[in-house]
Amino acid sequence: NAEYMGKLFSSMSSTTSRALVHRPEAWDGPQGVSLDGVKKAIPAHCFEKSGARSLMWLARDLLVWGISLAIFKPLIVALLAESESPWALAALGVATIVHSVIAGTAMWAVFVCGHDAGHGSFSTSWLLNGVSGLVAHSALLVPFYPWALTHRRHHLKHNHVNDDYSFPWWVDSSKHHSVFVQPAFRALSPFIGWFLYLNGFNDGNHYVPLGYQRMWANTPWQEAAKGVLSTVCCVAAAVGIWSVICSGSLALFVLLYGAPWVLFSCWLVTVTYLQHHHETSRVYNDDTWRFVDSAFETVDRTYGLGLDAFTHHITDCHVVHHLCFTDIPHYHLEDASAALKSYLAAQNKMHLYRSVPTPDFFLRVFRYLFSFGFWATLVVKPNDPLLAEKKTE
């Protein structure tokens, strides 16, 4: 409503200045949560991986995408033929938007199934995981194995100021190029962030293994070979989409595939950014980083309208996923998350867990990117010289 929108945009100017001033914070020690304790508290069935069940969910998502294409392709073709008419042009725009919302959301769900494959939680078979991941992600023009490589590194060192992957962490403005720090650039991230990331921003180029880049430096040649295979699969998928689905038409490629792909990439940036960023985001260095404690810097967000269930609970069950990222398939995340919360309550540790209703997710991602960007507070030991610098300022 008007009151909410007013508060939303009026808060941007005040939070922007506050977000740029991040002083180090003194570490208060380990939080006392045991990963073994968490895993023992989670029911055994949550760790059971079923290739058949995972394939069923992947098939559902591909089916929804396919149904949208089957419905809207003939409509869009017909409207393109009449595009000289203003009414036909307006109808074409509406049809493209509706198709993009349906297909783009289904594409995001397909990605989540491939996400399980990348973690090894899709099934107990490495071959089925690999083939399923290649199929799911190649259809989205995402190089599966390079993505799996960087994403695993993200999970292994989540919220480490230097070693985390995916989103950059900014704790000192002097170390970052001014273009990327600018709020206007950050606010465009939902539209261009995923494309930039795949093509080299932050971690390295996911399509071409370049040995001097972060993700490929000191990486075994086998990973580079799998990267080349992934790119070949993406090219094959692009050719198939262009020739079979879009009939070799640039206009159809843009409207039937390109527009939904942008919506899919918006979903990806929105969900992953809001999972890992909030008003008081904190990161750790070598002295203060702990795997379990850093996992609780992630946020479970409920989007509502059935979106959490349709997108396999990657939104509202992300904390437990970070704690057990190779072990629990998406269809067990609800039960695992409930067990985690019960365990934390019994240990008097619920203050560590963040769960935020976020029905305004599409607006909030722009607000947070504009206001907070990738800034975070660096947590250091009490005797760290950075704290002394803080006191003298």
Side-chain angles (χ1 to χ4, degrees):
N1 57 36
E3 182 181 358
Y4 172 78
M5 293 298 292
K7 290 180 179 178
L8 173 68
F9 290 105
S10 65
S11 67
M12 287 184 175
S13 59
S14 60
T15 53
T16 299
S17 60
R18 195 166 65 244
L20 294 177
V21 183
H22 279 270
R23 304 289 190 251
E25 178 182 304
W27 186 50
D28 55 4
Q31 296 299 320
V33 176
S34 160
L35 183 58
D36 286 341
V38 168
K39 289 187 174 183
K40 288 177 182 177
I42 295 174
H45 77 268
C46 293
F47 299 98
E48 295 175 0
K49 307 171 186 179
S50 168
R53 192 170 178 181
S54 296
L55 284 170
M56 178 195 70
W57 285 112
L58 176 58
R60 183 213 67 168
D61 300 334
L62 290 170
L63 179 62
V64 173
W65 184 5
I67 289 173
S68 186
L69 282 168
I71 292 172
F72 285 96
K73 179 179 178 179
L75 178 60
I76 287 174
V77 168
L79 291 171
L80 277 173
E82 303 293 332
S83 58
E84 292 183 1
S85 164
W87 295 106
L89 197 60
L92 178 63
V94 172
T96 301
I97 291 171
V98 175
H99 168 60
S100 296
V101 170
I102 297 171
T105 303
M107 292 163 79
W108 169 231
V110 168
F111 180 91
V112 176
C113 289
H115 167 269
D116 268 15
H119 282 310
S121 58
F122 190 91
S123 76
T124 58
S125 166
W126 66 268
L127 180 59
L128 181 58
N129 290 337
V131 172
S132 301
L134 281 170
V135 170
H137 281 200
S138 297
L140 305 169
L141 307 187
V142 175
F144 173 66
Y145 283 114
W147 166 83
L149 174 70
T150 55
H151 192 63
R152 176 175 175 79
R153 290 173 179 175
H154 157 65
H155 272 273
L156 289 173
K157 298 303 286 280
H158 44 218
N159 284 71
H160 188 288
V161 64
N162 295 318
D163 296 342
D164 196 357
Y165 271 66
S166 299
F167 288 103
W169 291 112
W170 295 344
V171 296
D172 180 355
S173 61
S174 66
K175 294 182 180 179
H176 303 286
H177 195 284
S178 60
V179 172
F180 300 119
V181 174
Q182 293 304 313
F185 176 86
R186 300 199 307 264
L188 291 174
S189 293
F191 298 108
I192 63 175
W194 182 234
F195 176 83
L196 292 177
Y197 178 72
L198 290 177
N199 284 278
F201 177 63
N202 197 45
D203 293 337
N205 194 306
H206 286 62
Y207 293 100
V208 182
L210 301 173
Y212 63 88
Q213 292 185 328
R214 181 190 187 203
M215 66 177 287
W216 298 112
N218 303 315
T219 298
W221 68 266
Q222 293 91 337
E223 291 294 340
K226 290 194 292 185
V228 172
L229 171 64
S230 300
T231 299
V232 169
C233 290
C234 286
V235 171
V239 171
I241 293 165
W242 170 270
S243 58
V244 178
I245 296 176
C246 301
S247 306
S249 165
L250 178 59
L252 287 179
F253 185 83
V254 170
L255 299 176
L256 290 175
Y257 186 82
W261 192 93
V262 172
L263 195 284
F264 148 67
S265 66
C266 283
W267 264 118
L268 190 149
V269 173
T270 296
V271 173
T272 56
Y273 177 83
L274 291 177
Q275 285 167 342
H276 295 286
H277 297 81
H278 48 87
E279 295 88 338
T280 57
S281 295
R282 299 191 303 174
V283 294
Y284 303 83
N285 61 15
D286 288 340
D287 295 329
T288 58
W289 185 86
R290 302 291 186 277
F291 176 83
V292 173
D293 294 352
S294 297
F296 287 107
E297 287 298 318
T298 58
V299 186
D300 283 351
R301 295 187 182 273
T302 305
Y303 287 12
L305 300 175
L307 291 169
D308 305 294
F310 185 81
T311 58
H312 309 304
H313 295 287
I314 196 169
T315 51
D316 59 341
C317 298
H318 201 64
V319 175
V320 75
H321 170 64
H322 261 264
L323 288 165
C324 308
F325 64 96
T326 63
D327 302 319
I328 302 177
H330 66 78
Y331 41 81
H332 292 317
L333 284 176
E334 272 193 298
D335 289 347
S337 188
L340 170 65
K341 287 181 276 189
S342 296
Y343 172 78
L344 292 174
Q347 299 295 317
N348 294 317
K349 298 291 184 180
M350 273 299 289
H351 62 280
L352 298 176
Y353 173 73
R354 291 182 176 87
S355 179
V356 182
T358 315
D360 61 336
F361 57 93
F362 187 69
L363 291 174
R364 193 175 302 204
V365 69
F366 288 100
R367 175 191 168 191
Y368 277 23
L369 279 163
F370 185 92
S371 301
F372 307 118
F374 307 114
W375 297 100
T377 298
L378 178 62
V379 179
V380 298
K381 285 197 170 180
N383 61 349
D384 194 290
L386 286 174
L387 290 175
E389 293 177 15
K390 171 185 175 180
K391 293 177 181 178
T392 60
E393 292 179 3

